[in-house]
Amino acid sequence: MVSESYMENKQKAVASNDSSSSSSSTDENDFRHPVHKKFHLFGRHKSLHAALGGGKLADVLLWRNKQISGGLFAGATVIWFLFEWIGYHLLTFICHSLIVSLAILFFWSNLSLFVNKSLIEFPKIELPEELWTQVALLLRDQFTCAFGIFREVASGNDLKKFLYAIFGLWIISIVGRWFNLLTLVYIIFVVLLTVPFFYEKYDDQVDAYGEMAIKELRRQYSQLDEKVLQKLPIPFLKDIKQD
């Protein structure tokens, strides 16, 4: 009986030692390998395709449908080349396009009677009312949001948003002196068709550099806030500092 109890106590001691050693090893491994949450630009927690809406627009921006994306890119490039380099005007371009289209369709309709070809059946196009209603509501919501942001910035309650708005408008004014409106719209269109595609392809590298850049910007802003902004004689700055 004594030997059996002694063996049972010994087995329990060995089991407790094994469990303690395993728990300590797991704790040590957890300490050596801390869980690091991966950084993503713009604070997204899902894939880029889902962040862009996951619909047809996301497919076009990420080149999931290469024919449509390539066609839009080529069409925008041709329009920009005609208007910017050749000096074409928009009204002239529309009129010439309609002249060519009407001439081709008119002669095809008349020649089809002599060459035994079937007549062209022109489709009846009716623009749906619901689509234009949705577009109008979307524009209304966007303008309402823009005016709300303008009023919030102009109210003088948030210095950070005010500085961001002034800096953004200043950058846009500088860029506006370099390009005309058509070239600027074309550049924005090309950026929308290229940057999301390459970002999805190299997101790990871009997120790593973006994290370093954001840390550096926050450090510079904290120094600016400490040395300059907090010393300005503005009442709400003192209230923000106390909060």
Side-chain angles (χ1 to χ4, degrees):
M1 295 293 292
V2 176
S3 61
E4 291 180 357
S5 61
Y6 174 75
M7 292 299 294
E8 290 178 357
N9 293 329
K10 187 175 181 180
Q11 289 177 357
K12 290 181 181 179
V14 172
S16 62
N17 290 329
D18 292 338
S19 62
S20 62
S21 62
S22 61
S23 62
S24 62
S25 62
T26 53
D27 294 338
E28 185 178 359
N29 291 330
D30 294 338
F31 179 76
R32 291 180 179 178
H33 302 283
V35 178
H36 178 67
K37 189 176 180 181
K38 188 176 180 181
F39 174 82
H40 293 288
L41 287 177
F42 312 111
R44 62 182 181 88
H45 301 286
K46 49 188 176 180
S47 64
L48 184 61
H49 186 269
L52 292 175
K56 295 182 179 179
L57 179 60
D59 293 338
V60 171
L61 295 178
L62 297 177
W63 290 72
R64 301 292 173 87
N65 193 334
K66 295 183 179 180
Q67 294 181 351
I68 296 178
S69 300
L72 290 175
F73 184 81
T77 304
V78 169
I79 292 175
W80 176 78
F81 181 79
L82 288 175
F83 291 150
E84 185 65 22
W85 287 92
I86 299 180
Y88 231 29
H89 298 284
L90 179 61
L91 184 60
T92 305
F93 175 75
I94 294 174
C95 292
H96 287 176
S97 299
L98 291 175
I99 289 172
V100 173
S101 301
L102 288 174
I104 292 174
L105 294 175
F106 178 81
F107 286 111
W108 180 266
S109 299
N110 286 276
L111 291 176
S112 61
L113 299 175
F114 298 98
V115 296
N116 296 323
K117 296 288 184 179
S118 60
L119 295 175
I120 299 177
E121 296 182 359
F122 296 99
K124 186 178 180 181
I125 300 175
E126 293 182 357
L127 298 177
E129 183 179 356
E130 296 180 357
L131 176 62
W132 291 102
T133 303
Q134 292 178 358
V135 172
L137 292 176
L138 179 62
L139 292 176
R140 186 201 64 177
D141 294 339
Q142 295 298 324
F143 278 113
T144 302
C145 181
F147 282 117
I149 294 174
F150 181 83
R151 183 179 62 182
E152 183 179 0
V153 172
S155 62
N157 296 324
D158 195 335
L159 179 62
K160 186 182 293 186
K161 290 183 179 180
F162 173 75
L163 294 177
Y164 285 160
I166 295 299
F167 181 74
L169 292 174
W170 179 64
I171 293 297
I172 294 174
S173 66
I174 293 176
V175 174
R177 285 186 289 179
W178 296 344
F179 311 101
N180 56 23
L181 181 61
L182 178 62
T183 303
L184 186 61
V185 171
Y186 175 71
I187 291 174
I188 295 174
F189 187 80
V190 172
V191 168
L192 290 176
L193 282 178
T194 54
V195 171
F197 172 74
F198 286 108
Y199 175 64
E200 186 184 34
K201 192 174 182 181
Y202 305 103
D203 58 345
D204 293 335
Q205 295 87 337
V206 175
D207 288 338
Y209 286 110
E211 184 178 9
M212 292 188 294
I214 290 176
K215 288 181 179 179
E216 181 64 23
L217 288 175
R218 288 177 178 174
R219 188 179 67 83
Q220 295 292 336
Y221 178 79
S222 63
Q223 292 180 358
L224 177 65
D225 182 66
E226 181 180 358
K227 296 179 180 179
V228 179
L229 299 181
Q230 296 297 334
K231 296 180 180 179
L232 294 176
I234 302 178
F236 68 83
L237 283 177
K238 296 181 181 179
D239 298 335
I240 293 174
K241 187 174 181 182
Q242 291 177 359
D243 295 337

